[in-house]
Amino acid sequence: TSLKASSLYSVTVSVDVNQGESVREANLSFSDGNLTRILTVRQDACLFTLSGNQLTFKEGQESSQVTIGSKSLWSASVIVPWIRLSSRSGMQGETVTVSVDANEGEKRSDWITISGCFTTKRIEVVQEGVSTAAHDPGKGKFRIYPLPADRFVTVEFAVETQGSRFV
């Protein structure tokens, strides 16, 4: 279609998210036959990285850090109450402290979900449980096995009496 010199025209350019590591660009060329204009479109990278994909903790109350590399807004979520985050959202890169409550039960795990730059990533959080240690209170009065226990244990014990009371 031929264009009139006195008319105004608009062009809409749509691009996908740049999930690469560097700036990308493209040149658009417009010509009316006598005159050519070049429009350069540049797009920053929407880089989104995490310092790891798993955190492992002992059974006590502990903390660790995760570094979020991002050139845009990000948000983090966790469902279970025993995992706490120092921040649930941020702008660009940030270090977040992940804390866990002491675990008095079995080994447990859950996920932290972090979204940014139109993508979602997860970090697995694993926390060891309290071990069931064999208990020998002295002279071998009782023994628990196997250790660590799965679902069932065997308890062996000896009972000594003095008159009508157990020792």
Side-chain angles (χ1 to χ4, degrees):
T1 306
S2 64
L3 305 176
K4 296 180 185 175
S6 62
S7 300
L8 294 176
Y9 299 93
S10 67
V11 175
T12 301
V13 178
S14 297
V15 294
D16 291 332
V17 173
N18 180 1
Q19 294 182 350
E21 295 184 11
S22 59
V23 174
R24 66 182 179 184
E25 64 180 54
N27 292 321
L28 303 175
S29 177
F30 300 93
S31 179
D32 69 356
N34 296 324
L35 181 64
T36 300
R37 299 280 185 202
I38 296 176
L39 171 67
T40 301
V41 178
R42 282 192 188 147
Q43 185 183 32
D44 284 334
C46 193
L47 187 63
F48 180 64
T49 61
L50 301 176
S51 58
N53 61 5
Q54 185 181 58
L55 296 173
T56 303
F57 297 96
K58 294 181 181 175
E59 69 273 359
Q61 183 177 359
E62 292 189 327
S63 297
S64 186
Q65 293 186 326
V66 173
T67 302
I68 301 169
S70 177
K71 291 190 174 185
S72 69
L73 293 171
W74 58 267
S75 64
S77 63
V78 63
I79 296 172
V80 295
W82 56 272
I83 302 173
R84 292 178 316 286
L85 307 175
S86 63
S87 180
R88 290 186 177 257
S89 63
M91 177 76 169
Q92 298 189 356
E94 190 171 330
T95 298
V96 175
T97 300
V98 178
S99 302
V100 294
D101 294 335
N103 183 6
E104 297 177 6
E106 295 180 6
K107 183 177 183 177
R108 60 188 177 182
S109 66
D110 211 281
W111 297 92
I112 300 169
T113 303
I114 304 174
S115 300
C117 286
F118 307 97
T119 188
T120 298
K121 296 184 179 191
R122 296 187 332 161
I123 298 173
E124 183 180 25
V125 177
V126 178
Q127 187 179 27
E128 295 300 322
V130 176
S131 61
T132 308
H135 181 68
D136 187 351
K139 303 178 183 175
K141 293 184 180 179
F142 70 91
R143 183 171 79 136
I144 301 172
Y145 63 90
L147 292 174
D150 185 18
R151 286 189 267 163
F152 302 100
V153 296
T154 300
V155 178
E156 293 178 347
F157 59 94
V159 177
E160 298 175 22
T161 60
Q162 286 182 344
S164 60
R165 70 172 223 226
F166 293 103
V167 178

